[in-house]
Amino acid sequence: MEKERKYILISGATSGFGLETAKIFAAQNWDLILTGRRFERLKEIKNVFNLNFPEIDVITLNFDIQKNNEVIESVKSLPENVTKNIKILINNAGLALGRNVIEDGNENDWDQMIDTNIKGLLYLSKQIIPFLKENKEGHIVNLGSIAGREVYAEGNVYCATKHAVEALSKAMRIDLVKYNIKVTNIAPGAAKTEFAQVRFKGNEEIANSVYAGFEPLIAKDIAETIYFVCTRPKHVTINDLLIMPTAQASASVFHKII
Ligand code: NDP
Ligand code: 8X3
């Protein structure tokens, strides 16, 4: 008998939280739809999953989430036997660019953060929600941040985008409750992924200094949490989770031993 398919769609699955989440779900026999801009990485990741988990279906979608037309076309390319089996959407693709006082901020960085973290999340959600509605069940997990709960020095626009994610998680929950769709907002503190490398535009020294003197979260910590929230009984929704490294007390208070 053919395997009954159940798909999880993870945006931003070429590294960090997204990739680790894909690994955990694959190990539990979930079929994957993985997205990202880096085509070669997506190809490599698909090959590795195909090798390690031959039973599951692995679909990769290569698009820039800032571009609504790319999001629409990519989702349209999915066959109906896939879309009708999408159970979970992880809105994970996101980034910070730069750390500056507001008057020194770079407009291109602002645009990219707003277009990715807010508008991209909206574009993809709009395409996927109809499938979840049709199924009369589903789960959306949005990657917020401690930066969505508090604002820290020189974090202005990134913090604003993550505050928007918090608001959108609450709004989605209200709009989608009648369709039996769960919405979870996960807000991590400092986690060592490619996040700081991206934020500081490849400057390894500054990127590494972010995590100096304390033990940050790792992608697996967040991936395990996502798996936990997605596998609660049907009648249980975890709305919100704030997850910090033990050495981090707030957005800007760390216990560092240097
Ligand atoms: P990574 O940089 O490791 O991963 C980010 C992912 O987002 C990549 O797969 C990247 O893929 C994708 N992405 C970025 N921009 C776009 C775009 N325009 N279109 C499509 N995909 C895009 O970072 P993390 O895993 O740490 O970050 C994941 C999420 O978690 C982000 O939303 C981040 O804001 C949030 N977060 C991170 C924290 C941390 O300390 N690391 C803490 C709290 C929240 P590609 O480059 O291939 O497009
Ligand atoms: C990422 C965590 O503190 O660098 O969202 O903004 S922080």
Side-chain angles (χ1 to χ4, degrees), residues 165-182:
V165 172
E166 288 262 337
L168 288 172
S169 295
K170 289 179 192 155
M172 284 181 175
R173 202 171 295 127
I174 293 167
D175 291 348
L176 300 176
V177 66
K178 56 181 172 295
Y179 306 112
N180 207 22
I181 297 173
K182 304 181 182 192

Side-chain angles (χ1 to χ4, degrees), residues 189-207:
K192 192 165 184 185
T193 58
E194 292 181 14
F195 178 84
Q197 273 166 260
V198 171
R199 179 173 221 169
F200 298 107
K201 302 175 182 175
N203 186 325
E204 293 282 340
E205 206 181 322
I206 304 182

